[in-house]
Amino acid sequence: MDISYFLEFNMIVKHGNLSEAAKELNTTQPVLSRHISRIEKEFGITLFDRHAKPMELTDSGALFLKESTLIANEYGRLVTCFKGFNEGSLETIKIGGLLDCGASNVFRNAKTDLVNTYPNMSIKIAQPSFQTSFDSLRDKEIDIAIEPFSYHIDIHGLESIAIITEHPYVVVDKSHGFAAHKEISGKDLKEISFTSPKSNRSHALRKHLQGICGAVGLEGSIPKSFGISNVGSYSELFLLGLDGEAVMLPESMALMHTATSCGQYVAIPLKEERFFYDIRAFYLTQPTQKTSRFIERLQIAAESPSCTQQGSSRVQ
């Protein structure tokens, strides 16, 4: 059935008669009458009481109006979205940074909302780069960077929105001296040797750790021993082994790595409430339209009850 039949039906309801609707649609009354009869035959219903002046909807007609309005609105949205669309107009949003954190549920919901509204848009995970995601963002190699916010990181020229907030966890080998602890205190940090992947992709997490250690009074704002492992990611680091050292990560990342380690590692929460990872979506101060659209949907998804319940108790 032609989609225009639904639009014509809505116009007839608006005017209450065929002649006025025909004028606005630049067609004739007999044509509209035939199309309404076609709908009634197709669905086995009567849409109007044709004896009433103006024409009145039947109960079936009122129900059909509700559904046809949804169809008409959706059709209008598709026309707007695909006007001038061709294969070359497919827009892709590239995302980089801390992608294995607990914000994945927020991103799935935002992505679904985005592509349902704009079918010509897609989301792509950018290939890892040695430089920081902030530099990739400024170089326009990616559109959005997911990182924990830290005052120790240069975010000049960037805006951000909070996605989820998580507490810090310290991950150690099961044979580590602190493995039996149920929680780690700020004082304990002075006795723990930390390590981190060499790659600049871990820059934000390293800076966050250094900021926490500085806040509890560690000399030089770093732990007693802070080594850099010659690997590119935390997955590689855990695969090769921590060798008596520790890492500090947001809760979701820490629990993910310990859950897949077959009992090799233990994740222990840092008990100070003042320390947390405010994981944010960073973007350029003057974002493109496609980035703005996705940021809007990220904001909505981050504030939805289903997402905040799955994250930390603090979503700002």
Side-chain angles (χ1 to χ4, degrees), residues 25 44 71 82 108 161 168 170 174-175 184 199 208 222 252 312:
L25 292 167
I71 293 173
F82 284 97
R108 282 194 298 271
I161 61 168
V170 175
K174 64 179 181 180
S175 59
I184 299 290
S199 170
H208 201 82
I222 59 173
S252 59
S312 168

Side-chain angles (χ1 to χ4, degrees), residues 11-313:
M11 191 63 69
I12 294 169
V13 173
K14 172 185 174 183
H15 289 285
N17 63 74
L18 294 172
S19 60
E20 291 298 321
K23 288 179 182 178
E24 184 163 344
L25 292 167
N26 195 27
T27 186
T28 65
Q29 183 174 336
V31 168
L32 291 184
S33 183
R34 286 199 302 272
H35 291 173
I36 292 301
S37 296
R38 171 71 184 279
I39 294 175
E40 291 178 327
K41 182 178 180 180
E42 178 83 16
F43 292 95
I45 59 177
T46 299
L47 296 174
F48 293 103
D49 178 357
R50 288 173 170 76
H51 299 292
K53 301 295 182 181
M55 297 170 62
E56 293 181 357
L57 288 170
T58 62
D59 291 343
S60 297
L63 179 60
F64 191 85
L65 174 64
K66 179 180 178 181
E67 299 301 324
S68 68
T69 299
L70 293 176
I71 293 173
N73 290 341
E74 182 68 8
Y75 177 73
R77 184 191 68 80
L78 287 173
V79 169
T80 300
C81 180
F82 284 97
K83 190 174 183 180
F85 177 82
N86 54 55
E87 290 299 323
S89 66
L90 182 65
E91 294 189 278
T92 301
I93 297 174
K94 294 183 180 180
I95 301 176
L98 196 67
L99 302 175
D100 50 353
C101 65
S104 58
N105 192 52
V106 176
F107 272 86
R108 282 194 298 271
N109 290 349
K111 176 189 174 184
T112 299
D113 187 11
L114 182 76
V115 298
N116 283 343
T117 307
Y118 303 101
N120 63 322
M121 298 185 71
S122 66
I123 305 296
K124 181 179 180 181
I125 303 303
Q127 291 298 315
S129 170
F130 183 77
Q131 68 178 351
T132 72
S133 59
F134 297 109
D135 290 333
S136 296
L137 188 56
R138 293 187 183 99
D139 291 342
K140 299 183 179 180
E141 294 177 359
I142 60 176
D143 302 295
I144 296 173
I146 309 305
E147 295 288 358
F149 174 78
S150 172
Y151 290 106
H152 300 273
I153 298 174
D154 174 22
I155 56 172
H156 176 71
L158 303 178
E159 300 289 341
S160 67
I161 61 168
I163 297 181
I164 195 170
T165 301
E166 296 188 346
H167 295 292
Y169 271 60
V170 175
V171 182
V172 296
D173 292 304
K174 64 179 181 180
S175 59
H176 193 280
F178 280 86
H181 284 50
K182 294 192 178 297
E183 59 186 15
I184 299 290
S185 69
K187 184 178 180 180
D188 292 332
L189 295 180
K190 301 178 181 180
E191 307 300 323
I192 300 175
S193 298
F194 285 87
T195 187
S196 170
K198 180 179 180 180
S199 170
N200 278 337
R201 299 198 302 271
S202 304
H203 175 69
L205 290 175
R206 286 200 298 267
K207 286 294 185 180
H208 201 82
L209 169 61
Q210 291 172 356
I212 290 176
C213 290
V216 297
L218 270 69
E219 185 178 353
S221 299
I222 59 173
K224 179 182 71 173
S225 174
F226 187 47
I228 302 295
S229 179
N230 191 28
V231 297
S233 69
Y234 282 98
S235 295
E236 295 177 52
L237 185 60
F238 283 114
L239 182 64
L240 295 175
L242 297 180
D243 298 326
E245 296 183 309
V247 296
M248 184 181 289
L249 296 170
E251 178 180 359
S252 59
M253 290 182 64
L255 296 181
M256 177 190 70
H257 285 296
T258 54
T260 57
S261 71
C262 299
Q264 182 179 353
Y265 300 111
V266 177
I268 312 165
L270 181 66
K271 72 175 184 179
E272 270 84 353
E273 289 294 325
R274 57 180 170 147
F275 301 132
F276 56 90
Y277 289 94
D278 185 13
I279 300 171
R280 307 180 73 87
F282 291 86
Y283 54 97
L284 294 175
T285 302
Q286 295 182 324
T288 61
Q289 184 181 57
K290 64 180 181 180
T291 300
S292 295
R293 286 173 172 173
F294 190 51
I295 288 295
E296 290 172 0
R297 280 151 182 80
L298 276 176
Q299 187 79 66
I300 294 171
E303 294 174 352
S304 68
S306 61
C307 289
T308 55
Q309 289 170 5
Q310 291 188 17
S312 168
S313 58

